[in-house]
Amino acid sequence: MSRSRLPLVLGLTAAGGVGYYLYSAGGNTKVAQKQAEADAHRVSAQFKSELPGRGDQAKKDAEKYGAEAGAKVDNALGKTQAELQKAKAEAEAYAKDAKAAALKKVDEFDKKVETEASKAKSGISSWFGGGK
């Protein structure tokens, strides 16, 4: 039966890492521990900066998506304003047409009243001896 060599490799790597930090710290375990923590922090920060969605790339992406969203809002606002202007123009045209029609009817009524009044006046005048 074959056994996995992974535990052996991991153990040797860990022992090599501990030996490296102890040797570079001159055998002082506290200094070796601080160096290992500093290196771990540096590697972690470097790894985090290379992740997608972090750092400058995330800022650029956010600006790009913000600009796209702003453009969509501006486009929708422009369309809405254009539709409101169109509706306003149509309402003004309808009001103008309605006013013109109403004035036309009033003028027709006035003309009819004047015509009937002149007929009535001539009829009354003929009773008193004037007339045509």
Side-chain angles (χ1 to χ4, degrees), residues 7 16 70 72:
K72 286 180 182 179

Side-chain angles (χ1 to χ4, degrees), residues 29-103:
T29 58
K30 293 284 184 189
V31 174
Q33 182 180 5
K34 295 292 181 187
Q35 285 179 347
E37 287 174 0
D39 286 345
H41 179 70
R42 186 178 67 236
V43 168
S44 174
Q46 183 179 4
F47 181 72
K48 285 180 182 178
S49 69
E50 292 176 4
L51 285 176
R54 293 280 187 160
D56 294 335
Q57 185 63 32
K59 187 175 182 181
K60 289 177 186 177
D61 289 344
E63 289 174 358
K64 182 179 95 173
Y65 293 133
E68 288 175 4
K72 286 180 182 179
V73 169
D74 291 343
N75 187 16
L77 184 62
K79 285 182 181 179
T80 303
Q81 288 177 342
E83 289 176 9
L84 286 174
Q85 290 294 337
K86 182 180 175 184
K88 181 180 176 184
E90 290 174 357
E92 288 174 352
Y94 179 76
K96 187 176 179 181
D97 290 345
K99 182 179 177 183
L103 289 176

Side-chain angles (χ1 to χ4, degrees), residues 9-28:
V9 172
L10 289 177
L12 289 175
T13 303
V18 170
Y20 166 77
Y21 284 108
L22 279 174
Y23 178 77
S24 65
N28 190 345

